Amino acid sequence: TRYVLENLAKVLAPFMPFIAEEIYQSVKIEGEVSVHLAQWPEVPEFSDGGMILNDMQKTRQVVSLGLEARAAVAVKVRQPLKAAIVKDTSLEGKGEMLDLIKDELNVKGVIFDPAIDGEVKLDTELTPELKQEGSYRELVRNLQELRKREGLVPEDKIDLFLNGGEDEAALVKKFSKDLKRQVGASDVHFGEMVDGRGLRVEGLTFLVKIVKSR
């Protein structure tokens, strides 16, 4: 952050001299006594800029084809899948691009196989762990919608009360820490409840109650 603000101050100096000086003096540790005596930051030259653009174009194509493949088999994007299988091997080993593909397609990995039919295929076999993660994401979506219907804003903290059977309990227990963060809960309680709203999530049935934290 210091690096960003210090260099921002240098760029702003000719146009906003007083604000630039205030920013510079607030963040600098060493260097010139004034931003107006400092050198402008140098912009590095990227010799592989064309390659990056080409990789991004291929990444977008893989994502587009992967989303089409999901739609063809009617698998929601919220349901994690094991892998995307890609015919073109030119992105192999390019971590940043592969991370984008995994994030956009919600897959755990990217496999390259020049022998496949078509450009992109999805491994749609759902293990119990993947099914459970998909159910959790669907639960989060429903709880966030419930927050909105209750008139809560993102800054509002809640106490979340849930009830259900063994499968429902196992799901909440496994993801309880992340669940608190995702739905803005101070605490998550699972157990007997007198009243609540029924919620069906991927074959699971929950009784849910949201109370705004004081």
Side-chain angles (χ1 to χ4, degrees):
T1 303
R2 178 180 290 113
Y3 173 86
V4 172
L5 291 174
E6 185 175 331
N7 283 284
L8 174 64
K10 293 176 184 178
V11 174
L12 288 177
F15 315 102
M16 306 176 72
F18 298 110
I19 294 176
E21 184 68 20
E22 183 175 350
I23 295 173
Y24 185 76
Q25 295 298 335
S26 298
V27 299
K28 84 176 184 72
I29 295 179
E30 56 185 21
E32 301 292 346
V33 295
S34 169
V35 69
H36 303 291
L37 298 176
Q39 294 292 323
W40 265 27
E42 295 184 4
V43 179
E45 295 184 3
F46 295 98
S47 59
D48 60 346
M51 183 180 298
I52 292 174
L53 292 176
N54 186 53
D55 288 346
M56 279 301 302
Q57 182 178 9
K58 290 181 178 180
T59 298
R60 287 197 298 267
Q61 183 181 18
V62 170
V63 169
S64 178
L65 292 172
L67 292 174
E68 289 178 10
R70 268 188 175 272
V73 294
V75 178
K76 299 176 183 178
V77 178
R78 283 185 295 275
Q79 172 60 60
L81 296 176
K82 185 177 181 181
I85 307 166
V86 181
K87 187 182 188 75
D88 185 352
T89 61
S90 61
L91 293 177
E92 192 167 8
K94 298 182 178 180
E96 291 184 358
M97 303 302 166
L98 300 184
D99 287 342
L100 285 172
I101 292 172
K102 288 189 286 187
D103 185 57
E104 292 294 323
L105 295 183
N106 194 12
V107 295
K108 299 298 183 181
V110 179
I111 299 170
F112 294 92
D113 184 357
I116 65 170
D117 295 328
E119 293 298 316
V120 179
K121 293 179 66 176
L122 297 175
D123 185 341
T124 57
E125 180 183 358
L126 295 179
T127 64
E129 291 77 15
L130 290 173
K131 288 182 180 179
Q132 192 177 48
E133 188 175 342
S135 297
Y136 166 67
R137 294 193 179 197
E138 192 67 22
L139 174 63
V140 168
R141 184 188 70 82
N142 278 274
L143 291 174
Q144 288 171 338
E145 287 295 322
L146 185 56
R147 279 183 58 109
K148 292 179 183 178
R149 290 201 295 269
E150 294 289 335
L152 299 172
V153 297
E155 293 78 18
D156 290 333
K157 286 290 186 179
I158 63 169
D159 285 319
L160 176 61
F161 297 86
L162 297 157
N163 201 358
E166 292 183 3
D167 291 339
E168 289 81 0
L171 183 71
V172 172
K173 182 179 180 180
K174 180 175 181 179
F175 295 100
S176 61
K177 185 176 180 179
D178 190 67
L179 182 60
K180 286 183 183 180
R181 180 179 61 84
Q182 291 283 0
V183 302
S186 300
D187 208 349
V188 176
H189 310 271
F190 193 95
E192 295 297 329
M193 285 171 26
V194 177
D195 59 348
R197 183 191 300 263
L199 185 63
R200 291 277 296 173
V201 176
E202 302 292 331
L204 301 175
T205 302
F206 290 90
L207 192 62
V208 180
K209 185 176 181 179
I210 287 178
V211 178
K212 185 177 178 180
S213 300
R214 295 181 179 179

